[in-house]
Amino acid sequence: MFKDKDIMQLLQDVACAKVTVNEAYNKLRRAPFEDLGYARIDLHRGIRQGMSEVIYGKGKTTAQIEGIVRGMAENGCRNVLITRLDPDKAAVLTARGIELDYHKDALIGIASPAPIRKIGNVLVASAGTSDQYVAEEAALTAEVTGSRVTRLYDVGVAGIHRLLARIDLITSARCIIAVAGMEGALPSVIGGLADCPVIAVPTSVGYGASFGGVAALLGMLNSCAAGVSVVNIDNGFGAGYLASKINQMDGIYEE
Amino acid sequence: MFKDKDIMQLLQDVACAKVTVNEAYNKLRRAPFEDLGYARIDLHRGIRQGMSEVIYGKGKTTAQIEGIVRGMAENGCRNVLITRLDPDKAAVLTARGIELDYHKDALIGIASPAPIRKIGNVLVASAGTSDQYVAEEAALTAEVTGSRVTRLYDVGVAGIHRLLARIDLITSARCIIAVAGMEGALPSVIGGLADCPVIAVPTSVGYGASFGGVAALLGMLNSCAAGVSVVNIDNGFGAGYLASKINQMDGIYEE
Amino acid sequence: MFKDKDIMQLLQDVACAKVTVNEAYNKLRRAPFEDLGYARIDLHRGIRQGMSEVIYGKGKTTAQIEGIVRGMAENGCRNVLITRLDPDKAAVLTARGIELDYHKDALIGIASPAPIRKIGNVLVASAGTSDQYVAEEAALTAEVTGSRVTRLYDVGVAGIHRLLARIDLITSARCIIAVAGMEGALPSVIGGLADCPVIAVPTSVGYGASFGGVAALLGMLNSCAAGVSVVNIDNGFGAGYLASKINQMDGIYEE
Amino acid sequence: MFKDKDIMQLLQDVACAKVTVNEAYNKLRRAPFEDLGYARIDLHRGIRQGMSEVIYGKGKTTAQIEGIVRGMAENGCRNVLITRLDPDKAAVLTARGIELDYHKDALIGIASPAPIRKIGNVLVASAGTSDQYVAEEAALTAEVTGSRVTRLYDVGVAGIHRLLARIDLITSARCIIAVAGMEGALPSVIGGLADCPVIAVPTSVGYGASFGGVAALLGMLNSCAAGVSVVNIDNGFGAGYLASKINQMDGIYEE
Amino acid sequence: MFKDKDIMQLLQDVACAKVTVNEAYNKLRRAPFEDLGYARIDLHRGIRQGMSEVIYGKGKTTAQIEGIVRGMAENGCRNVLITRLDPDKAAVLTARGIELDYHKDALIGIASPAPIRKIGNVLVASAGTSDQYVAEEAALTAEVTGSRVTRLYDVGVAGIHRLLARIDLITSARCIIAVAGMEGALPSVIGGLADCPVIAVPTSVGYGASFGGVAALLGMLNSCAAGVSVVNIDNGFGAGYLASKINQMDGIYEE
Amino acid sequence: MFKDKDIMQLLQDVACAKVTVNEAYNKLRRAPFEDLGYARIDLHRGIRQGMSEVIYGKGKTTAQIEGIVRGMAENGCRNVLITRLDPDKAAVLTARGIELDYHKDALIGIASPAPIRKIGNVLVASAGTSDQYVAEEAALTAEVTGSRVTRLYDVGVAGIHRLLARIDLITSARCIIAVAGMEGALPSVIGGLADCPVIAVPTSVGYGASFGGVAALLGMLNSCAAGVSVVNIDNGFGAGYLASKINQMDGIYEE
Amino acid sequence: MFKDKDIMQLLQDVACAKVTVNEAYNKLRRAPFEDLGYARIDLHRGIRQGMSEVIYGKGKTTAQIEGIVRGMAENGCRNVLITRLDPDKAAVLTARGIELDYHKDALIGIASPAPIRKIGNVLVASAGTSDQYVAEEAALTAEVTGSRVTRLYDVGVAGIHRLLARIDLITSARCIIAVAGMEGALPSVIGGLADCPVIAVPTSVGYGASFGGVAALLGMLNSCAAGVSVVNIDNGFGAGYLASKINQMDGIYEE
Amino acid sequence: MFKDKDIMQLLQDVACAKVTVNEAYNKLRRAPFEDLGYARIDLHRGIRQGMSEVIYGKGKTTAQIEGIVRGMAENGCRNVLITRLDPDKAAVLTARGIELDYHKDALIGIASPAPIRKIGNVLVASAGTSDQYVAEEAALTAEVTGSRVTRLYDVGVAGIHRLLARIDLITSARCIIAVAGMEGALPSVIGGLADCPVIAVPTSVGYGASFGGVAALLGMLNSCAAGVSVVNIDNGFGAGYLASKINQMDGIYEE
């Protein structure tokens, strides 16, 4: 990666003739847009330092995934997140010698696993057992990106006492991911109880007039509770990534 | 109205020559479909004995409304419900001498008011202050059709404690009407707490992706709580009428 | 379960030093939300005493279903309703020794069957032969929850005489479930003839502009007949459960 | 008009040198498309002989309408139909000396009225009083285009007895127009009773989930009754015009 | 059938004591609805005399179809139309000895085929080769119900010359069925050229923003040409049945 | 407020007879749900300490608003945010002596204004000049709730250079609000450049197929950039409130 | 602009100490994005040399428009296009001394008019008289941007002969704009006849199931004719601008 | 084909008696609409001289495709484009001796391949790797129809630097095809950078609220950038064909 200090260094090297003008020119020419990268490498090639890389597994062959993972491993990438990875592909990858920590109920594989230091407090709450796949995708993403995660599953609003019984988890989280299909009311109730940002994830769980998650999506967008925002249907990864970002924010140091 | 016993009587009158065959024929000829009426007169001309009559005020001129009300009054109808009646029309009707009990915040007028014996226990709960117009339409309809009504307003799920603070009202009702716009989650939560039938009424309150009540409607149709059914957007009258019917059900007497 | 009288008892025990303050404190602290539970166990773990339990079979493995059923049986649960249970799974369950009363045309299994005392009178009417699966789900649910059920199938409005020929069933029911796909007009016609609550169930039957049940759903929501409410597309269980609740209502005893 | 015999004549003229090759060439080249014109004058300038002309009044100024009407009158057109003509414009037209037969409840004006010979039997049935505007547009259009029309209004399916009381009208019609808003079930019921073609007209009457006539439209498209077809929402003119065409069909004379 | 004169007779019988009051009462009470039955047998059990019977094959087992067909055959039904019958089922039916005239490209089987006298002139036009399945369903239905049919396929508006080349077919038809997917413009163009009723059939052919026929459906409902009405997406049967009805209309005989 | 230590105290009071068992019972019985209240006062009556209060001005009369504001002022509330307050109402409020800081281009009034300490760094970016109303609602909300705000308006993606020219603002923000109508692409581009959470706000700006903000909403939900979440159409307040919450997060102090 | 050779020069300057490392660093850091600016000024401040400027008049006050126009005039801009400018605003602008060429039926004003050299051949065809407003917006935009325009209005497909009568215009155009509401079939027919690019513009003209232009939009997107592309509903400006661009393309000069 | 000069010749033959009037009549009678064909053969049988022919492979059997290809080959057609041709069919065609240049990642086969002279400069840009199938369909179509094509893949707006890095390709193209799924923002950004016509192609890539390409489609229709038009979802062929047409336009030669 080509950071600001690298440019400065390069210029100094030119100034003191350590590097020729031609060499510097060739380095710089490729730099301008790569350097945008200092802020952020694009999603599919890796997120940012301290965080793992991400591969969207769906629609990729095992050969393609294997190639990317091996390339990353050679560059020292650990804890590479592979989302929407079905069990068959996971088995093939393992058989081919890829070190893979596979989570069947989230369809997520973590390649080249390594210990992760997890900090803060992200709560992942889900309404029903069938929302669990998306909830787990969110939870694992948050963990792999360095956040400590608490799971609170099967706390749909039709049995509000189960949610209220763990109000301590809600009030102590730094960021909450609320996952729900059907009527998608969970984020509204949680948003009314919590004081931290709430990320709502509609799931495609349901039948009839749930329209593949649209009912839940609309319900969440119309939440009367402030502090709630929404990601795409079934987008557990997006929610987990964002929650991790919020959870790990630094405090403001002003005088 | 032409009831079964009237047919029997008519036939007996023919048999004993009190009525000629021709007279009987003419009476019977008009009867077959009028007699369907024994089961039920159609909605806009009156509901059934013991209940008041209903006029849908929107799109009718004051002259039309006055005509219907006076006709009903002559037939002895009291407590005639006029829904969606705006204040201007109500003022005109009153000025023309129609005895009118007008409820501004429900846009409902009750013409030829008379004391009503109210029984049972219908709870009308609404999520926000802006849902109140629909909630009041439901409540007044239930009252005019003979039900005792308890109101529990402004108990949206984003402030769940206000709802839970009155859980006694929820558990003691014979039928609950839950009115909500925006995400429409109130019926789900109430449905999870109540043991009686819950009628959900979506309202067109909201903006943006509430789509004039569609978000609330979908949320309610997808409610995870059993015992919940839904009426049309803003249909307070329909909910009130149905709740009254359920509330006033007789017990089963079987041996 | 922690009921009001338990709290009173606990306080008295504190007052007379039978229980220490600390012990009482710990008991009370966990109580508030557990106690909500007295009102209602959540749907998927069982409805309420006197009624059977329900398992949503779709998306569960036979192993999972078997586990739940065996657990319930140990707790003495009989007539456990398993909805959306396909024939293959039913066969496996039976082979594993689960006592199962399977209804192929409703995709419903009743585990640990036992005689049920059925009271009252719920009419289940359906428009076409293809709506029968949903109608049967509703009918069996109503029966298992203790209601006597009459079936009136294949009485769509395009052949209105077949419906009218059985008007006696319509006028004598305590609650009617009207199931229809396509244009979904059946509940409107029945609602105009019946004097009892009507629960409309749209089905996903149809093609082209039926949009998987949306046409029927909209038709039902817009019913001109009062006394009609609607549940989700194909939600036979919800309709049967609600109808049973309405059917079994007690009368009002007031002085 | 350029018919086959004209081509033959032209060729003969060429053969006998009455017409030069160039002249013939130019005539032939323009012929194919100009000649289409004979088949049918376009709708807004006149339908066909024996039928009246039509002006879509909405969005046209009184000056524009006056101009068209006067032009038509000069060409001998009588009974010119002006649809969606509001009362104010009608008053202005009359004040300017246009002979106008105005129907307020259909927003239709018939300019240069003359006696019309009406034949056959078109039944126009409507579900509710608020559908009457569209029903009248259909009825007047059918009449002005030469059909005898019977009106049967306010026979919605929620009061099925009123419709059945006039089953004689349904079985004796040559073509039926069924107009309904809300759930739009009327054409299905009529389609099941009638033996003649039924044209369904959804209206934008309703509120909430009627979505400006979409619910009625979908209901009609999904009608289970055969022999039913549908026109656009509120398109009374289209239905009346088509019904008149069907009503006035000649019999088949084959040997 | 219970006609007016029957009522008169019954009353006279009562008057002269030929019939008891009780017997008369029971006859009268059941009369109104039973008598409807005479008017029309319902669609799936047979349309009307002179026309064939119809079975909707989709979702029925071969055993069910065989049963219905054999029952009909015993009652003398010929030319029984079985729609949406896939080739495998057709082969099974034939193997079981059902006499079946199977049309693979319309998924239609005609059981117990017999010569049909076809009259009049129905034109079936389709836009593209992929619309042909629906067009053939319409054409065969019209033929089996006694109409002479002309086919004009692959005349979509993007190649308008092919349609115009056969304008003679358009102007000589008694009724036209216009079948189109994608943008569904064919009925509009034909409606502008034809003088007879045009029935538009949208098909689900297309991809992307055709939304399974919705684009074509909307286009047809919005047709600027008068004389056009629409049936459900892919509803070739409905169009063929209606076209046959219109085609076979008698002339009006008035003095 | 009823906290844990209150329960402990109450029990001790019972133990030492300071409080009777009955008194304690009554206090405890109401406690569970009242106590939820400690966590969070509901939105419309005030957000939380340190932040201002909020009134949704639309649909409230000036008298209602005046009443609420005066009540709050008496309780010492300052910087009360009144959203969707049109200029006429603002003028009336001012005329009645309400101290009001009115922002015409955001339709926001700040009653009882007082100096606010603003910290951190929230960037509000908007795509077009017509999105500015929503952007200002977001910006003012963030400011009133204590966040320092930078505005970057008119940087739509069709002129990407204007956005890129201020990439420094994007990379230095702690939280970004991206407001856009039409195609709603701004949050995607910003999400790809920023390292902090991005809140996307679709606006109802546009015409034709923008469908009142739906196009922008869908675009934002489908953003390929991670770290982006979405609020309701035109919900500037929600975005501003959430951004402020994120911006003001404390750092994690763990050992 | 910051081109490659500038980078080389800068590096050489650093190497020979003409420029300090810090200066070079600052130049390089800002370079990538600033330099984009040269490529293209954004649309609303001016399109490109040789073409006129554009102001979207809707939602802007006359004062705002006046300010922009005067500013442009000072910079020598002529033929400034103001779209969606209602007559009242146009009158005010003229009264204030703005030189304005106003086109009432396109709601377009051309400020600071000057002779325009028009080349090539753009055909603007529209289906109905009510589509004319959008068609004129397209035509005037094309003219102001330097294209010669031919208008062919009122040639809807329901009267196909009128379109075919001017097939010469279709075959001789360099680019065609086809404007239509309702079923939107015009572009398909024209696309089948023309050999040049066709730009389809759906209009919001219509009622009922036209859904404000959606029916036309879908029809156009599904056009079976190749060479057709679509712009937003009512977007006459966009179509005119693009047509002008295509019309004025240079030929390819390759050896 | 029957061209103008043929008509002239025929007339001359009649004039000089080489052809009888009857023979000429018969020839002419069939001519008028066939001659429309001079302007343009319809799409599926071939586009126009100098360009290749096109077969829509989906839904056609290999036998059908083989038949068409062989027929074309006999007529000397080369470079026949077969779109949506899956690998299995391609293999069968090759096995049967069809000379086929198959492109697996575009599902396109080019039968009877021959060298093509490619001119001009069409840029095909795509947002993500999963959009590549559609992009390749567009690119190959443009190439086969004679255009030189540059590919710029995987330049989605969430990584804007990758797009900007190749701004030279954008500014030097004669026509650009921008392919994107998900939020579909790519054409807006490119439209703001490019000076040539941009054709936007939405793809069905995505999940959740992408609704099979609808989100991308709406985003593109609402593009704020001028010079952008849209084709149907996944319609790579349409875009490639149109782009080729625009790319190959001649310059205007006027004096």
Side-chain angles (χ1 to χ4, degrees), chain H residues 39 84 92 106 163 181 188 199 206 220:
Chain H
R84 315 246 164 145
V92 171
L163 177 67
S188 288
I199 303 168
M220 290 170 178

Side-chain angles (χ1 to χ4, degrees), chain E residues 205-227:
Chain E
V205 167
Y207 61 94
S210 75
F211 299 129
V214 170
L217 171 62
L218 293 183
M220 290 170 178
L221 285 168
N222 284 287
S223 173
C224 300

